[in-house]
């Protein structure tokens, strides 16, 4: 592919952005062309989101130049970028939860619809936009009633509905979506490319890069490591470029030592169905499910944050277990890593405070918090999963998205759980950190902890789990042991195309 003839649709020339002592972008050059999907890859904290914030007008104080068709310009705010046809789907969603889908769509259009378009018509259009991304719900539904993955689809529908797009930017759009929902989204992206839009697509998922990318730019520590067309770059080289070294992830080897049942669930009502299973000491049990599988609801229920406590249905080490609150679950050694980092990480608290939020009691003697031991433990756990934070005192909100996710995991590990509930633990986490998270989970199981893992990433289930349950609408539709399942098998079970 050659673009010598015409200037790039958008171009960054020697762009540098610093936050205090952090150099988030360092002399970055990037060309974006119409009809091309440009994948931005790189580890957590590499500078990807910062780069797109400059393209989308969310950051206007930076050094260097942004050009449109060869002419320099600077977006003062996101509105200015939108007027130049730059639409952005952010990593952290920007919908107003207490408003309906229709109102969120209208709001994004600057409210101009309210006076001129009839409510009914606006609602129809919003519903149409949602259908366009494969989301079949009433447009009058409040956003807060939607799952994260549905909210993601609304966000995308809203951006596409505004029209006039010349550049559409996706910052990890599928990190909250399962395989099937992701495919629908990728179709959408290909459609945009075919219609002549330039697309910037940020992802940590290799199979998405393989499928979508026309061109790939890898960032590391704020610098461009390489820009290549897809054909010029093989997977190994790509991963090495992102990490700066070879990856260390390995498949969990052999049948693990699995001990006595720790958690017994009998006929627990869930969605339209009921589930029964046993989770053993030292076992990693996987949960696979598409939207509406109720896998997340199951984890919440076991963490005391569900609809109702049902003592007779769940036993922990032979005793009825019906926590009425997360605090009670934690006191019994049951910890949950939630899927939504914007809920689990408190942006205005320090990294240290976030990390020890669930385990404060362990660091408190006679009412005093043992600061030194607390700090040492957080530092140790943080270092083991390569938590990228300037200091323990930094606000958690300044960490990159993937590093916030790692911080939430550190908090779980610090509670020394006997049962660890994981809701999509490596969503939005880079390949290197993913391997490190996996290593920690394996280690924990090796030491006898029981792990119940929901993942939207089927490869992750295959790499980690001793056993996998496939859930559909709150029922187990398929169960399989290590050695008997692979990605295809799980996918077929989820789609209902296998016995
Ligand atoms: N508002 C801010 N204040 C201080 N530092 C920031 C701020 N925003 C980003 N940073 C820092 O800039 C660097 C780049 O962050 P950025 O969010 O761009 O990374 P990223 O590549 O998007 O990572 P991820 O894959 O985890 O989303 C990180 O070190 C981050 O901590
Ligand atoms: Mg980011």
């Amino acid at each position: 592919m050659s673009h010598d003839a015409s200037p790039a649709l958008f171009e960054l020339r020697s762009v540098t952005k610093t936050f205090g002592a952090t150099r988030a972008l360092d002399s970055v050059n990037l060309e974006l062309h119409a009809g091309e999907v440009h994948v931005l890859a790189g580890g957590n904290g590499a500078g990807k989101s910062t780069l797109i914030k400059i393209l989308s007008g969310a950051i206007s104080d930076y050094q260097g130049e942004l050009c449109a068709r060869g002419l320099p310009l600077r977006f003062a705010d996101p509105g200015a970028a939108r007027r130049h046809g730059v639409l952005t789907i952010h990593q952290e969603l920007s919908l107003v939860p207490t408003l309906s889908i229709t109102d969120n769509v209208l709001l994004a259009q600057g409210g101009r619809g309210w006076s001129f378009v009839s409510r009914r018509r606006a609602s129809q259009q919003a519903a149409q936009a949602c259908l366009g991304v494969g989301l079949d719900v009433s447009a009058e539904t409040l956003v807060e009633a939607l799952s994260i993955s549905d909210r993601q689809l609304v966000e995308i529908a809203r951006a596409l509905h505004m029209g006039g797009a010349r550049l559409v930017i996706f910052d990890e759009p599928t990190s909250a979506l399962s395989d099937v929902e992701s495919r629908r989204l990728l179709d959408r992206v290909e459609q945009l490319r075919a219609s002549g839009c330039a697309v910037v697509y940020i992802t940590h998922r290799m199979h998405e890069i393989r499928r979508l990318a026309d061109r790939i730019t890898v960032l590391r520590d704020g610098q461009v490591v390489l820009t290549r067309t897809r054909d010029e770059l093989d997977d190994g080289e790509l991963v090495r470029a992102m990490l700066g070294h070879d990856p260390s992830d390995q498949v969990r080897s052999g049948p693990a030592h699995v001990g006595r049942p720790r958690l017994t669930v009998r006929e627990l009502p869930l969605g339209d169905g009921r589930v029964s299973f046993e989770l053993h000491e030292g076992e990693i049990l996987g949960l696979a499910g598409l939207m509406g599988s109720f896998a997340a609801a199951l984890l919440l229920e076991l963490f005391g944050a569900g609809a109702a406590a049902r003592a007779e249905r769940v036993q922990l080490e032979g005793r009825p277990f019906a926590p009425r609150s997360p605090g009670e679950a934690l006191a019994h050694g049951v910890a949950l890593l939630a899927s939504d980092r914007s809920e689990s990480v408190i942006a205005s608290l320090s990294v240290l405070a976030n990390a020890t939020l669930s385990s404060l009691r362990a660091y408190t003697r006679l009412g005093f918090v043992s600061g030194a031991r607390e700090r040492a433990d957080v530092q140790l756990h943080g270092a083991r999963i390569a938590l990228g934070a300037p200091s323990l005192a930094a606000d958690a909100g300044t960490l990159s998205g993937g590093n916030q996710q790692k911080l939430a995991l550190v908090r779980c590990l610090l509670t020394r759980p006997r049962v660890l509930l994981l809701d999509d633990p490596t969503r939005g986490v880079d390949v290197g950190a993913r391997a490190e998270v996996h290593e920690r989970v394996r280690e924990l199981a090796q030491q006898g902890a029981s792990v119940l893992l929901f993942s939207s990433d089927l490869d992750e289930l295959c790499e980690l789990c001793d056993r996998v349950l496939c859930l559909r609408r709150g029922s187990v539709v398929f169960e399989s042991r290590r050695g008997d399942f692979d990605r295809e098998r799980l996918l077929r079970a989820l789609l209902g195309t296998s016995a």
Side-chain angles (χ1 to χ4, degrees):
M1 241 165 294
S2 167
H3 300 283
D4 297 341
S6 62
L9 190 56
F10 290 99
E11 186 182 351
L12 294 179
R13 290 186 190 155
S14 204
V15 166
T16 295
K17 171 67 194 169
T18 53
F19 295 102
T22 308
R23 197 167 268 254
L25 293 175
D26 189 357
S27 308
V28 166
N29 294 308
L30 188 76
E31 285 190 12
L32 304 172
H33 294 275
E36 199 174 278
V37 176
H38 199 128
V39 166
L40 269 188
N44 293 130
K48 304 178 298 295
S49 292
T50 304
L51 190 153
I52 64 114
K53 280 176 189 159
I54 288 175
L55 280 172
S56 64
I59 292 178
S60 60
D61 58 328
Y62 54 89
Q63 291 148 304
E65 211 164 54
L66 169 65
C67 298
R69 294 247 180 255
L71 300 174
L73 84 174
R74 185 168 290 240
F75 298 139
D77 53 50
R82 264 199 304 274
R83 285 190 292 280
H84 279 83
V86 179
L87 299 184
T88 311
I89 315 295
H90 284 287
Q91 189 171 16
E92 309 304 340
L93 302 181
S94 64
L95 302 171
V96 183
T98 50
L99 292 181
S100 69
I101 296 174
T102 306
D103 286 331
N104 269 284
V105 169
L106 289 172
L107 197 63
Q109 296 168 334
R112 64 188 145 92
W114 271 308
S115 42
F116 301 116
V117 181
S118 81
R119 174 81 208 175
R120 208 181 130 90
R121 180 140 173 69
S123 182
Q124 278 167 354
Q125 286 178 349
Q128 205 61 43
C130 288
L131 267 185
V133 295
L135 179 63
D136 193 2
V137 293
S138 158
E140 295 313 308
T141 311
L142 294 186
V143 165
E144 65 189 359
L146 299 172
S147 67
I148 301 183
S149 31
D150 286 355
R151 290 183 204 192
Q152 187 92 42
L153 290 175
V154 171
E155 180 108 357
I156 294 161
R158 181 179 70 167
L160 297 183
H161 177 68
M162 288 198 276
R166 295 203 296 156
L167 168 63
V168 184
I169 301 170
F170 294 90
D171 193 354
E172 292 188 52
T174 58
S175 58
L177 306 186
S178 68
D179 263 63
V180 173
E181 293 114 35
S182 301
R183 287 181 185 196
R184 252 186 334 219
L185 175 79
L186 300 189
D187 290 345
R188 230 26 63 200
V189 174
E190 286 176 338
Q191 227 172 9
L192 283 171
R193 166 171 57 198
S195 76
C197 280
V199 176
V200 169
Y201 193 94
I202 297 178
T203 182
H204 292 294
R205 296 184 171 178
M206 297 297 288
H207 66 97
E208 294 187 355
I209 298 179
R210 252 175 260 135
R211 169 164 165 191
L212 280 183
D214 295 305
R215 202 173 291 269
I216 303 162
T217 290
V218 177
L219 287 174
R220 199 168 68 228
D221 297 332
Q223 294 181 332
V224 173
V225 183
L226 55 82
T227 295
R228 304 266 183 82
T229 63
R230 179 176 37 188
D231 307 340
E232 293 167 346
L233 192 63
D234 67 53
D235 286 2
E237 202 181 349
L238 176 59
V239 172
R240 274 192 299 280
M242 291 196 278
L243 295 179
H245 57 82
D246 282 315
S248 63
D249 206 358
Q250 18 160 307
V251 170
R252 184 168 159 91
S253 54
H257 164 77
V258 167
R260 289 169 299 170
R262 174 160 286 150
L263 197 70
T264 309
V265 175
R266 277 200 205 98
E267 298 282 313
L268 181 74
L270 189 70
D272 306 340
R274 283 167 187 271
V275 284
S276 303
F277 64 88
E278 283 188 337
L279 173 63
H280 300 84
E281 289 172 4
E283 184 180 34
I284 305 178
L285 175 61
L287 293 174
L290 306 178
M291 273 197 230
S293 69
F294 290 92
L298 173 60
L299 297 181
L300 285 177
E301 182 93 26
L302 295 174
F303 191 53
R310 299 179 178 101
E312 71 282 15
R313 304 285 182 196
V314 183
Q315 294 199 327
L316 180 64
E317 286 164 348
R319 281 188 217 102
F321 176 63
R324 277 156 305 179
S325 69
E328 217 174 292
L330 283 166
H332 282 88
V334 177
L336 169 76
L337 174 62
S339 70
D340 187 351
R341 61 183 158 229
S342 64
E343 277 173 24
S344 51
V345 169
I346 302 171
S348 59
L349 285 185
S350 71
V351 169
L352 183 68
N354 266 285
T356 55
L357 216 51
S358 304
S359 51
L360 263 185
R361 207 179 319 175
Y363 297 103
T364 313
R365 287 271 177 286
L366 303 172
F368 292 100
V369 174
S370 162
R373 202 154 59 84
E374 190 185 26
R375 240 186 293 279
D377 275 4
V378 175
Q379 230 133 22
L380 178 71
H381 281 278
R384 289 167 98 185
I385 56 170
L387 177 68
S391 77
L392 293 182
D395 281 355
T398 66
L399 301 192
S400 77
N403 280 311
Q404 291 187 19
Q405 184 81 347
K406 290 197 220 168
L407 177 57
L409 178 64
V410 169
R411 180 197 300 162
C412 278
L413 296 180
L414 282 174
T415 67
R416 301 174 203 285
R418 285 183 298 164
V419 176
L420 181 59
L421 309 169
L422 298 171
D423 189 354
D424 237 356
T426 62
R427 181 158 74 83
V429 161
D430 68 46
V431 279
R434 183 176 184 274
E436 284 144 7
V437 168
H438 287 181
E439 217 29 66
R440 290 290 81 71
V441 171
R442 285 192 194 101
E443 204 176 84
L444 216 65
Q446 211 74 49
Q447 294 161 359
S450 308
V451 180
L452 187 58
L453 161 74
F454 167 73
S455 181
S456 59
D457 177 351
L458 297 180
D459 291 332
E460 177 161 84
L461 294 173
C462 294
E463 285 163 33
L464 273 182
C465 296
D466 302 306
R467 206 155 47 100
V468 173
L469 307 175
C470 290
L471 287 181
R472 232 175 22 227
R473 299 187 162 280
S475 297
V476 176
V477 294
F478 181 73
E479 174 177 349
S480 185
R481 298 194 162 277
R482 157 161 303 281
D484 288 339
F485 61 82
D486 57 22
R487 184 192 168 82
E488 274 313 302
R489 190 101 192 259
L490 294 180
L491 196 56
R492 271 185 287 137
L494 292 177
L495 293 171
T497 52
S498 83

